Structure formats: C-alpha cells, structure tokens
Amino acid sequence: MASQHRRDNSLYRRFPRLHLLQAEEGYELLTSKSNKPNIVTTREGRSYYLHDPDQPAREAELFVSGFKEVEPQAHVIFFGIGLGYHIREFLRIHPNTSFSIVEPNTGVMDIFLQHLNEEDWLAGKKIEEVMVGAITGETIATLHRLIDRVSGVLVIPWLPYRALFTANLKKFNETLYRMVSNKKDKMAINHVYEKKWALNSMHNFPFILHSSDFLQAGSEFIAGKPVLIVSAGPSLNDEIEHLRYIRENNLAYLFTVGSAVNTLVEHGIYPHGTFSYDPNEYNVNVIQKVIDKQIDSIPLIFGSTVGKHTLDDYPGRLMHIIISQDELSKHVLRTSEGNKPTIINDAPSVAVIALQCMIRMKADPIVLVGQNLAYRGEHYYAEGITHARGVPASADLPRVEGVHGQQVVTRQSFIKMKTEMEFYISRAKETDFINTTHDGAVIQGTTFHNLEEVIQRRLKGSINASWLQISNESKYDPLFLKSRIAELQQDEEVFQTIMEQIHHALLKIKHKIGLKQANMLNVLFGQFDDLFASLLGNCFFKIYVLPRQRMRYEFLYSKMDAIQSSRNPMSRGEQILLYFGEFIWKCQQDYKEIKSDIREFHRFIHT
C-alpha cells in the first residue's frame, strides 16, 4: 500500500526528493477506539501520542481557535506534521494562507505520506515547501529561498513537538530568526540607500575615470606583505606609539577605515591610505579633518557608491574600488583587454570592505587594530572622533566572548559586522589573520597577539609604498564605455515604450474585471507576463530604475508565486492590479525624478 501511495501522492510529484526519504524507526501508526488514526512513540517505557487518543479532530479545533487573527500576507510554517489534523483545521479556517511544513522526524513523515491519499486536504492547497529531518545545509538553503520570497512568517509548532523535539525546535527557531533578521536588515538598508546608490554612482563616475583601481594598482605590491587594518574602536588609543613606529619604519602597510584616520592624524601619524564607502551625503564628515588640514599625502580609497560629497574637495590622491551595489559601473566598465573590474561586496562596515580588498590582494599577515566590536567601559569609539556621538552602554545589550576570555558588551550591529568578517576570514584559508585589539570581541579565524609582539616577531622587512603616491588614470576602455552608454540610451526609448504598454495592459485587465469577463482575462495575463518579462530584461531599467526600487521589487517578488498560481482569474487580476500596478507606478514616478540626471550623465560620457 505504501508504494502505491508513493506513486500517486501529489506531494511526491511536487517534491520528488521525498522519494529518497530514509524513515527512522520508533514511530508507528495505530487506530484509536474512536476509529481515528494516530501516531505513537515510546520513550523510556512511556507511550507518547502525537494527537489526542480519543478526539484528535476536537483537539485540533481547540488548538487552531487560538489563531483567530492571522495576517493576510503571513506565510505559516507548521513545525511538526503528525497526521495533519491541526493543519487541515487551520486551512479550513484560513483557506487562502500559504504554508510550509517542517517535520523533524523522517519516520513520522513516512507514516503521514502513507496515510495521505490524492483526494486528501493537501491536494491543490498553497503549500510552498516541505522540509524533513535535521536542520542541514539543504534545509537551510530551502529555508533561505522561502524567506526571500515571503513577506512575513508565522511559526506554529504542534503541541507535542515542543516536548518531544525541544532541541530541534530550538535550532530551527534560531536559524529562522537569523534569516528573518538578515532579511529585515537588508530591507532596511535598501530602504535607506536604494535611492542613493544609483545617483552616487553617476556623481562619482568622473572620479572613477580619473583615478586608478586600487585592487589592480596595488596587488603586486601588497601580495605577501603585512597589512594593518586600523579601525576606530576604543583600543586604538593604546596602540598609537606602536603604529607610529610601524609607519616611520615602513614595517607594514597601514590602512585606516572610517573615522580611525582622524585619531591618527590627531597624533601626527599619516596612514598609507584610508578607506571610505558609506553612501550617505554626510560621509564627508569622516574625512573632514584631512580636508581641513589640506593633507595631500593620504590616498583616499573610495567605494564607487560613496556619498556624493565625499570626493569633491579631497586634497590627496583618489583610488577607487567598485562596490557590488554599483550596477552602472559593473555594466559599462571594461579594461582595454576586455576584463571586468573586480567587484567588492557591499558590507555592514568599511572594515569589512577593507578586509575583502586585502584578502583579494593576498596580503599576509592581515592584522586588525582597534577592531573592538564591543564596548570598552562606556565607549566604543577611540578618542579624536569628533563627529560621532555614540550610543551609551546599557544592561540589556548582548554579550559575546572577549579576546581575554571575558564577556564583553556589544550591539547587534557589531555582531553582524563580526559575523561578516568571520565569513570572509573563513574563506581565506592560506592567510594569517591576527587580532591585536585589547578588550575586543573574539573574531573567529584570527589569533590574538599584542601589537608589540607582532612588531617583534612578524614585521621583519620593509614595504614599498611609493606606488600609492603615483597618480594614474584608470585603464578602462573609453570606446567600450561609450558604446555601452549608447546602448543604454537606446534601451531608454524601449523602456518608455514597455512602460506605456504595461500601463495599457493593466487598464485592459481592470476593464475586464469591471465587466466581470473572467474568460477574457487569461489572454490578458499572458500578454502582461510577456511585457513584465521584457521590462525585467531591459538594461536601462536594470541599471537606473530597479536599483532604486529594490525593496518594492522584493515585496512584489514575494507575491509572484501566489499570484501566478491563483486559479481564480478575477482574484488573480485584482492582485496584479494591486501589487504590479503599484510597483509600475512607483517606477514611473521615480524615472521622472531622475531622467534629467541620467541624460546629463550620458551627455558627459559622450563629450
């Protein structure tokens, strides 16, 4: 009988990987006195039922009654399937809710699948994913895809699972929390910066064309050489004289990130270069001290999406790195040999940007200085950082392991920076990473040593930093650049046509809905889908418009599967008008705001 179910069951057709299920032992199907099937397991001589032995359906009704108000857009994840009484009841009350299932025990899932038949309650429902067994890499990947395409999550653990699978539920909740938290952070960043990235790219483009690519210019000089990445944590104050000694004797490259340049300049130490990448217009405050003092011997290594006022008055040499959010530069820049520029991933802190660069350039060792990622007493900035107000330490802040074995007070933003640094460090297996930051958080993949010890044991030779003072133009191909800009100008005309056609298609859908002509809608849906696909494939849209609407597109993307799988033409049409209509209207308004900037930029390139 089980094999027959495996051939016919709709879940097997939808999720073929369930054919590979290796059922664990310890769970069995039985029938109660009321002739209702149940699942039972025995632990330490005691029997545990996954449903009420006498009234499983009534138990499910009482359980589901506690979820009277479920957000219409929420995606429900049922942790624990049993025989599905509670899920069936939930879907009876909330029939339009999309859902997924997580079943930690393969034996339970095997019994459920054998008990299920084609006419049962799962057929045709809005099931997104089925995840079975331990939280492994495959489950995490599936969960990532799910979180990316839904707009809200409600986890519902079935009652017995809270006791029977406590550790599994805890690990799942922690994994899900991290994913949702990361998505929220990503959306918050997009909300703040999505309007700035594209405009900053255009504003900074002349500076990119008249500066050298830092990664290309420095790789042969930095490879195999020691590099210090100096951050503005409070422990930086302890290392001033050590840094002075290193700089004066050219024992290692010394690069500051963010505000740390102010502290060093205050003490008369000029680093070999300073990194800056924040897209905000007030980012210039970070280097204001260098500008005010007209120091021209500290190269500024800037991210291509940096705040647009950062570069205007900088007195020293400029060198650029192309940031992953810069769709424009990625599209139009090639070297004369046809090579794309190396891309550095956007990151939660400029220290992570610098770290990526040094790993790409094969520096060794990479030494972190002032990278506390935690409070030191009441402080988390070094002295001399005049523009930073800071946030007071408080008792409710999280704590992490410190380099001296103690617990240090930190913040969620620091934890995210730390996690990101650890990710890149873990991938650079052949590089030695040293953390010299007193009273800082442990950074996995680094070893802690005092900076004085590092000087004595690791900084034996001298480095050649003369290349940092040689002004070079970029080596990008101007003919390729102009040809790409010409293509974008042509694509702008196509973009305008597509937007007009989409507008008319939406009006037709609205008209047919008004006349209740459901039979005519499917043809219009096909036409609309083709037009929207053409929009997504249009380079002008992808370079200039879509990056400024990332968050809305993420939200729209989370709705697409549900809209396209809707079997009710009237309902599907209304959803298209609501979600796609709003997205298209916002894109149109945004295009009107920036088209003069774009056309001025195009004229600049051609002249």
Side-chain angles (χ1 to χ4, degrees):
M1 180 65 70
S3 61
Q4 180 65 34
H5 285 307
R6 284 192 167 86
R7 284 196 298 271
D8 296 343
N9 194 292
S10 60
L11 277 187
Y12 281 108
R13 292 196 295 274
R14 177 78 185 277
F15 305 103
R17 62 180 178 273
L18 292 176
H19 282 290
L20 305 176
L21 198 67
Q22 297 294 318
E24 302 171 55
E25 297 181 354
Y27 289 82
E28 60 178 311
L29 179 71
L30 53 79
T31 303
S32 67
K33 296 177 182 178
S34 60
N35 204 32
K36 296 293 184 182
N38 208 330
I39 297 177
V40 66
T41 184
T42 301
R43 294 188 181 182
E44 299 178 353
R46 181 180 173 185
S47 294
Y48 294 88
Y49 292 85
L50 295 192
H51 304 284
D52 186 277
D54 298 317
Q55 294 183 303
R58 178 58 180 161
E59 177 191 40
E61 288 177 15
L62 292 173
F63 175 73
V64 171
S65 67
F67 300 93
K68 292 179 180 178
E69 295 183 7
V70 177
E71 291 290 331
Q73 307 307 329
H75 180 84
V76 174
I77 299 178
F78 294 102
F79 186 91
I81 193 169
L83 287 174
Y85 291 104
H86 59 298
I87 304 177
R88 181 192 295 113
E89 177 63 18
F90 186 95
L91 296 177
R92 186 181 71 81
I93 303 299
H94 307 283
N96 296 319
T97 301
S98 69
F99 69 98
S100 294
I101 294 169
V102 175
E103 173 50 60
N105 187 274
T106 57
V108 173
M109 178 57 80
D110 186 64
I111 293 172
F112 170 79
L113 290 169
Q114 292 180 38
H115 181 70
L116 188 70
N117 60 52
E118 182 62 31
E119 289 74 35
D120 214 322
W121 53 273
L122 269 178
K125 295 293 183 179
K126 295 185 175 181
I127 186 166
E128 291 279 343
E129 296 288 353
V130 175
M131 293 160 272
V132 187
I135 305 299
T136 61
E138 181 183 352
T139 307
I140 290 173
T142 301
L143 202 53
H144 258 304
R145 292 193 298 270
L146 178 66
I147 298 305
D148 275 346
R149 67 177 185 262
V150 301
S151 55
V153 176
L154 172 63
V155 178
I156 300 181
W158 179 227
L159 290 170
Y161 282 69
R162 298 176 185 179
L164 293 175
F165 299 99
T166 306
N168 305 70
L169 180 57
K170 182 175 183 290
K171 183 174 182 180
F172 174 78
N173 282 335
E174 289 173 349
T175 303
L176 183 67
Y177 175 81
R178 284 197 302 271
M179 291 181 183
V180 172
S181 178
N182 288 339
K183 181 173 180 178
K184 285 182 177 178
D185 289 342
K186 178 182 174 183
M187 291 178 71
I189 290 170
N190 284 344
H191 179 68
V192 173
Y193 296 129
E194 64 184 3
K195 302 296 186 188
K196 302 178 189 294
W197 282 319
L199 286 179
N200 286 352
S201 299
M202 287 189 286
H203 179 89
N204 295 332
F205 207 83
F207 297 101
I208 293 172
L209 294 181
H210 294 91
S211 64
S212 55
D213 182 333
F214 175 71
L215 297 171
Q216 191 275 332
S219 288
E220 65 176 294
F221 299 98
I222 286 181
K225 300 296 183 182
V227 169
L228 274 63
I229 299 176
V230 183
S231 301
S235 295
L236 175 57
N237 299 319
D238 303 342
E239 312 294 0
I240 295 301
E241 294 311 314
H242 293 138
L243 294 173
R244 190 190 309 279
Y245 180 81
I246 292 170
R247 181 65 181 90
E248 289 177 351
N249 292 278
N250 262 341
L251 299 180
Y253 287 104
L254 196 161
F255 292 104
T256 56
V257 292
S259 303
V261 67
N262 294 318
T263 299
L264 266 61
V265 166
E266 194 75 9
H267 290 86
I269 304 170
Y270 293 177
H272 291 106
T274 187
F275 282 80
S276 190
Y277 95 115
D278 195 307
N280 285 304
E281 55 272 13
Y282 53 76
N283 180 66
V284 68
N285 296 335
V286 173
I287 54 171
Q288 194 61 51
K289 189 172 289 188
V290 178
I291 295 173
D292 292 343
K293 291 178 177 287
Q294 286 295 293
I295 301 170
D296 62 3
S297 59
I298 304 176
L300 178 66
I301 303 149
F302 67 93
S304 57
T305 54
V306 73
K308 63 180 183 179
H309 300 305
T310 304
L311 310 176
D312 296 346
D313 300 313
Y314 193 76
R317 183 188 177 192
L318 297 175
M319 305 180 79
H320 67 265
I321 48 180
I322 306 299
I323 301 296
S324 59
Q325 301 291 8
D326 184 359
E327 299 295 338
L328 174 64
S329 293
K330 289 192 291 185
H331 184 70
V332 303
L333 293 179
R334 296 290 185 275
T335 65
S336 55
E337 295 81 20
N339 298 321
K340 299 179 182 180
T342 302
I343 308 300
I344 294 297
N345 294 326
D346 194 45
S349 82
V350 67
V352 180
I353 297 289
L355 180 69
Q356 289 183 69
C357 290
M358 297 311 156
I359 291 172
R360 289 288 187 104
M361 300 166 86
K362 302 186 182 304
D364 194 27
I366 297 174
V367 183
L368 306 178
V369 181
Q371 191 64 65
N372 288 71
L373 298 173
Y375 286 84
R376 193 184 199 189
E378 292 293 316
H379 305 284
Y380 64 87
Y381 269 123
E383 295 175 2
I385 311 300
T386 55
H387 74 281
R389 296 182 179 181
V391 179
S394 60
D396 61 346
L397 286 171
R399 283 164 170 74
V400 294
E401 183 184 359
V403 294
H404 305 301
Q406 82 287 32
Q407 291 289 299
V408 292
V409 179
T410 186
R411 294 159 51 198
Q412 287 300 332
S413 59
F414 288 154
I415 292 174
K416 293 186 186 303
M417 295 177 200
K418 177 172 126 66
T419 302
E420 195 97 350
M421 294 188 92
E422 290 170 344
F423 169 75
Y424 289 108
I425 289 171
S426 69
R427 299 178 69 183
K429 303 293 187 184
E430 298 180 0
T431 304
D432 191 10
F433 296 91
I434 302 172
N435 185 6
T436 67
T437 309
H438 287 278
D439 300 313
V442 166
I443 301 173
Q444 297 296 329
T446 70
T447 54
F448 175 78
H449 295 287
N450 293 320
L451 185 53
E452 184 177 10
E453 180 185 349
V454 174
I455 293 172
Q456 294 171 353
R457 296 186 177 183
R458 301 299 303 271
L459 308 184
K460 299 295 186 181
S462 62
I463 54 98
N464 172 21
S466 60
W467 61 277
L468 284 160
Q469 298 301 327
I470 300 172
S471 294
N472 289 322
E473 294 286 294
S474 66
K475 297 184 178 180
Y476 299 120
D477 183 348
L479 295 179
F480 179 85
L481 169 61
K482 289 186 177 183
S483 69
R484 277 295 170 97
I485 294 299
E487 290 171 4
L488 284 171
Q489 288 175 305
Q490 294 172 0
D491 286 338
E492 181 179 9
E493 296 177 9
V494 177
F495 163 78
Q496 291 173 313
T497 301
I498 294 172
M499 290 293 280
E500 187 175 341
Q501 291 173 336
I502 287 178
H503 177 70
H504 287 305
L506 290 170
L507 288 178
K508 288 181 182 178
I509 291 172
K510 183 179 180 180
H511 180 67
K512 295 301 181 185
I513 290 175
L515 296 176
K516 300 190 183 304
Q517 295 179 342
N519 59 322
M520 301 292 292
L521 284 171
N522 286 326
V523 174
L524 296 179
F525 293 157
Q527 294 172 356
F528 178 82
D529 289 344
D530 290 342
L531 286 170
F532 194 75
S534 298
L535 179 66
L536 294 180
N538 181 271
C539 278
F540 181 89
F541 174 74
K542 289 192 291 187
I543 300 299
Y544 293 118
V545 182
L546 183 59
R548 292 168 59 83
Q549 298 292 337
R550 292 172 195 262
M551 197 166 71
R552 283 194 173 86
Y553 182 71
E554 291 258 349
F555 179 74
L556 177 63
Y557 181 76
S558 73
K559 303 295 177 191
M560 284 184 184
D561 282 349
I563 294 171
Q564 292 174 348
S565 62
S566 176
R567 297 181 179 181
N568 184 327
M570 299 292 286
S571 174
R572 182 178 176 183
E574 289 169 353
Q575 291 181 77
I576 287 174
L577 292 177
L578 175 62
Y579 297 117
F580 283 87
E582 182 186 20
F583 176 74
I584 293 297
W585 185 81
K586 291 290 185 182
C587 288
Q588 185 65 43
Q589 295 304 306
D590 202 64
Y591 168 64
K592 289 179 181 178
E593 289 180 16
I594 64 170
K595 66 180 179 181
S596 61
D597 294 296
I598 295 171
R599 290 172 181 177
E600 183 180 345
F601 170 69
H602 288 170
R603 283 193 295 271
F604 158 76
I605 296 299
H606 284 304
T607 57

